[in-house]
Amino acid sequence: MQKKWIVNKNYHQDIVNQLSDELKIGKPLTSLLVQRGIYTYEEAKSFFRPTLKDIFDPFLMKDMDKAVFRVETAIANKEKVLIFGDYDVDGTSAVALMYSFLKQYIDQIEYYVPDRYEEGYGISQLSVEYAHQNKFTLMIVLDCGIKCHTEIALARQYGIDVIVCDHHLPDETLPIAYAILDPKRTDCPYPYKDLTGCGVGFKLVQAIAQKRNISLKDLKYYFDLLVMSIASDVVPITGENRVFAYLGLKLINKQPRQGIVSLLAHGKIYQKAHPDLPPKNTIFTKEITINDLVFCVGPRINAAGRMDTGRSSVHLLISQREQKTEELGDRVEMHNSERRELDKKTTEEAIAMVSTLPDIDQRRTIVAFNENWSKGIVGIVASRLVEHFYRPAIVLTLSNDLITGSARSVRHFNLHQALCQCQDLLEHFGGHEGAAGLSLKPENLQAFTERFETIVAQSISFDSTIPIVDIDEEIQLHDISVPFYKIMKQFAPFGPQNMNPTFMTRNVMDTGNVKIVGANHLKLSLYQPNNSSWPISAIGFGLGDMYDRIANGDPFHVCYHIDVNEWQGKSYIQLIIKDIKFEFEDFDQI
């Protein structure tokens, strides 16, 4: 698929020059800092070395004082407390965090993760009935609840107080809960708005700890759960999220909890020094990064909620027994294998279905429905359709007499706002700018499909259906060195609003050893004929179709990430190619 390259020039060169002198690093790296809004030496110091001092006072959040008072009352009165959370990574990690902390003070405490198929997303009536029948008087709801008006009203009718810890966009009217913690509330002054559901839950834990004179340092052992939620929920890795992610990754690499070790073991990126050594001597075959959590840990935790129950994930994350975590990890891995097979099959069916639509070339949206698809993997399939067709995609199936599913967007298109314009046709919906869930009656499907197409077509031109590669900086190959890479690596953890830098270099050639490896991947050794640079190893995944022109000696432009490849005990810099262009054109700039 053709891609559009956009080179970022939206920064002030005079600031780059001054900061480069202060930091004693090259201007290409300094420009990366300035692009991220870092203009001074102190801001750079805070960026490169996040600390607990960068975490805000939890009582800045609306309703935090009420929430803490209610939890402390429950502790004092020995009440029964139910921790409720969504079945995805964010929800289950939030439940594991909250349950682990409050278990120290509350004897009668349980956790509840809804069944994706029987109960659906959010607080279910079934969960409220369970709380009522089992005499729970307080529910702490994590990663959902902000739109659960009916269910919270029912809980209140039963005499159950509800504390909502959510991060999704609320309606104009809030549910009548005892306390609602959500930084996206219009009346919430909390300075950082992009916390995960687990992050909002942590702020409640932090506030309770603060009231009990417990040091923030004593809570850092929950940061591994926080970084898991941040990685998997695709939130900006800025501000507090960057602190949580930075310190959470350090914790995972130094002292991982047994559940995470079990999940990484199935991902083949850890080994034990010796089978008789205790868990603390677990060693990893590589440094664990955000990508490992996104592609190894997250899908396995999600698989439990998609194929079985999210309770398995919580149990895995809170267990401290190695044998038990291995058993649970094996079970989760089995579900993940089932999920992968189902994902592949459904994606193939969906692509085939969409490709045969007579007007697919004119449509700006994709709405794919099959009543036999699994509800558990429609979000994954929607993401696959966006990758394949690059336009907003909704994948739907039939569940409990309603059509239900997930939506994924392309850049610069707000799904949530679009669904708000369709709410009269929907039974439920909620989510973010880039991802959402929804349900509707079968008789409304055609009308919804047409209106959604109309709304998107008014906002997205055909040019917007061409995938974009954002390029941070144009450099020469001779700029790349081991010191350059070591400084760039300190920009991590990478993620939304702090992505792994993408560089561009013009007029490169292969030394003549280009070959196709694996499943249509290019293996190259690049140099610039007009610059004194040593050849640099490069790999282009899925770019084998360009072999002939490169082997023929044609020069080309290349955009890439910089990484280090380790092979047979040796390390060397390698470029991870994102795209190749042969045309010598002026690239768009922003």
Side-chain angles (χ1 to χ4, degrees):
M1 181 183 291
Q2 180 186 3
K3 298 178 181 178
K4 183 177 181 180
W5 296 11
I6 297 182
V7 183
N8 189 351
K9 292 294 183 181
N10 188 22
Y11 55 86
H12 298 290
Q13 192 60 47
D14 55 340
I15 298 178
V16 171
N17 296 338
Q18 179 178 342
L19 188 58
S20 177
D21 292 339
E22 293 177 357
L23 296 176
K24 309 299 187 209
I25 62 175
K27 291 177 183 177
L29 289 167
T30 309
S31 71
L32 294 179
L33 288 172
V34 174
Q35 289 176 42
R36 286 155 175 75
I38 298 164
Y39 304 136
T40 67
Y41 179 90
E42 288 302 319
E43 288 172 345
K45 180 180 177 181
S46 178
F47 177 79
F48 285 127
R49 298 291 182 270
T51 68
L52 295 177
K53 294 180 181 178
D54 301 315
I55 295 177
F56 293 113
D57 181 349
F59 286 97
L60 294 174
M61 193 173 291
K62 181 74 172 179
D63 275 6
M64 185 61 77
D65 52 344
K66 294 171 61 178
V68 171
F69 174 81
R70 186 62 187 87
V71 172
E72 288 291 356
T73 301
I75 294 172
N77 294 337
K78 300 186 183 303
E79 297 179 47
K80 293 188 70 175
V81 178
L82 186 64
I83 310 299
F84 181 101
D86 190 25
Y87 36 66
D88 67 1
V89 178
D90 191 11
T92 52
S93 59
V95 170
L97 190 156
M98 186 67 66
Y99 177 84
S100 299
F101 178 76
L102 290 182
K103 182 67 175 173
Q104 303 171 85
Y105 310 107
I106 301 174
D107 293 328
Q108 299 187 83
I109 184 171
E110 292 183 22
Y111 59 85
Y112 189 111
V113 179
D115 183 283
R116 179 191 290 265
Y117 301 97
E118 296 299 322
E119 300 173 76
Y121 172 77
I123 307 172
S124 64
Q125 182 174 339
L126 189 63
S127 65
V128 177
E129 295 291 350
Y130 175 86
H132 173 57
Q133 292 167 10
N134 289 275
K135 297 181 171 50
F136 288 94
T137 53
L138 175 63
M139 285 180 67
I140 300 177
V141 178
L142 299 150
D143 191 33
C144 57
I146 197 66
K147 290 176 176 280
C148 297
H149 299 262
T150 302
E151 294 78 10
I152 290 175
L154 178 62
R156 186 180 187 187
Q157 180 181 326
Y158 285 147
I160 303 169
D161 288 330
V162 177
I163 297 174
V164 172
C165 301
D166 205 349
H167 69 129
H168 296 98
L169 290 167
D171 294 327
E172 291 185 8
T173 303
L174 297 175
I176 308 175
Y178 186 92
I180 297 177
L181 307 178
D182 188 337
K184 291 188 174 71
R185 288 178 58 168
T186 57
D187 60 346
C188 180
Y190 196 74
Y192 189 70
K193 303 296 184 182
D194 291 315
L195 294 171
T196 60
C198 185
V200 177
F202 176 79
K203 300 309 295 187
L204 175 55
V205 166
Q206 182 190 352
I208 296 168
Q210 196 167 303
K211 281 292 186 181
R212 289 175 166 261
N213 295 317
I214 298 172
S215 169
L216 185 55
K217 291 182 180 179
D218 293 330
L219 302 179
K220 65 182 181 180
Y221 297 107
Y222 298 114
F223 284 11
D224 54 352
L225 298 172
L226 281 166
V227 68
M228 282 171 47
S229 74
I230 289 166
S232 298
D233 225 48
V234 200
V235 293
I237 303 188
T238 58
E240 279 191 314
N241 283 345
R242 179 171 173 81
V243 181
F244 295 144
Y246 178 86
L247 297 177
L249 285 173
K250 289 183 68 173
L251 178 63
I252 288 175
N253 280 284
K254 183 178 180 181
Q255 192 176 351
R257 67 177 60 214
Q258 279 302 298
I260 294 178
V261 169
S262 177
L263 294 169
L264 290 169
H266 286 291
K268 312 298 183 187
I269 53 176
Y270 104 102
Q271 62 186 12
K272 283 189 177 178
H274 190 279
D276 296 330
L277 291 176
K280 68 179 181 180
N281 287 284
T282 295
I283 60 173
F284 296 112
T285 57
K286 62 183 289 295
E287 180 182 359
I288 306 304
T289 66
I290 287 287
N291 273 354
D292 296 314
L293 301 182
V294 170
F295 295 109
C296 177
V297 174
R300 286 172 167 82
I301 291 179
N302 273 331
R306 297 182 194 280
M307 310 304 294
D308 184 26
T309 170
R311 285 185 62 85
S312 299
S313 298
V314 177
H315 196 175
L316 176 65
L317 293 174
I318 65 176
S319 179
Q320 298 179 353
R321 292 169 47 218
E322 185 174 6
Q323 182 178 356
K324 187 63 177 178
T325 56
E326 288 180 354
E327 293 172 2
L328 289 165
D330 290 343
R331 180 178 176 182
V332 167
E333 181 63 17
M334 178 187 69
H335 293 314
N336 190 50
S337 297
E338 295 172 354
R339 187 273 308 167
R340 279 199 301 261
E341 293 178 8
L342 191 58
D343 167 19
K344 183 176 182 294
K345 177 177 179 291
T346 307
T347 298
E348 290 172 351
E349 292 176 355
I351 289 176
M353 174 192 297
V354 173
S355 298
T356 58
L357 294 175
D359 60 344
I360 183 58
D361 291 337
Q362 285 74 46
R363 294 190 67 82
R364 314 294 171 85
T365 65
I366 294 169
V367 179
F369 167 67
N370 185 320
E371 64 180 28
N372 296 316
W373 286 340
S374 169
K375 183 180 176 182
I377 50 88
V378 290
I380 299 173
V381 177
S383 296
R384 300 279 190 269
L385 293 182
V386 172
E387 292 172 7
H388 191 85
F389 295 101
Y390 201 71
R391 59 198 73 182
I394 300 177
V395 178
L396 301 164
T397 187
L398 193 64
S399 177
N400 297 327
D401 299 323
L402 284 177
I403 289 177
T404 184
S406 294
R408 298 293 184 269
S409 191
V410 297
R411 60 183 289 159
H412 302 323
F413 182 74
N414 192 315
L415 265 180
H416 189 269
Q417 289 182 2
L419 293 178
C420 284
Q421 298 178 61
C422 302
Q423 59 184 326
D424 59 304
L425 297 172
L426 302 174
E427 296 302 299
H428 303 284
F429 74 96
H432 310 284
E433 178 177 330
L438 66 155
S439 63
L440 64 157
K441 294 178 180 178
E443 57 266 30
N444 288 334
L445 177 59
Q446 184 63 33
F448 168 75
T449 301
E450 293 174 359
R451 188 185 299 178
F452 185 64
E453 168 69 20
T454 300
I455 292 168
V456 175
Q458 291 172 349
S459 304
I460 293 182
S461 65
F462 276 116
D463 286 344
S464 299
T465 61
I466 300 174
I468 292 174
V469 179
D470 289 310
I471 296 172
D472 294 272
E473 190 75 16
E474 180 176 351
I475 62 175
Q476 308 302 313
L477 292 185
H478 63 69
D479 291 325
I480 302 170
S481 63
V482 172
F484 182 97
Y485 172 76
K486 286 183 176 179
I487 296 174
M488 189 204 74
K489 187 180 177 183
Q490 294 180 52
F491 282 64
F494 296 123
Q497 297 186 28
N498 183 42
M499 301 299 289
N500 189 357
T502 298
F503 300 97
M504 180 188 80
T505 302
R506 300 175 189 253
N507 302 325
V508 303
M509 297 179 67
D510 181 74
T511 57
N513 297 315
V514 60
K515 56 185 177 181
I516 296 179
V517 297
N520 201 36
H521 310 316
L522 280 181
K523 181 69 175 174
L524 310 101
S525 181
L526 300 181
Y527 74 102
Q528 283 181 283
N530 297 325
N531 285 283
S532 56
S533 64
W534 294 101
I536 295 181
S537 174
I539 184 83
F541 296 106
L543 297 177
D545 294 345
M546 300 185 179
Y547 171 84
D548 289 338
R549 292 192 66 177
I550 293 174
N552 191 48
D554 291 356
F556 53 94
H557 304 323
V558 62
C559 64
Y560 52 87
H561 298 310
I562 302 174
D563 201 358
V564 164
N565 190 32
E566 297 183 4
W567 177 251
Q568 296 181 339
K570 295 182 179 180
S571 300
Y572 58 91
I573 287 178
Q574 178 175 257
L575 309 185
I576 310 298
I577 298 175
K578 297 187 67 175
D579 196 24
I580 289 172
K581 285 184 181 291
F582 293 93
E583 294 75 19
F584 300 131
E585 59 190 52
D586 290 327
F587 297 103
D588 291 333
Q589 297 183 355
I590 59 172

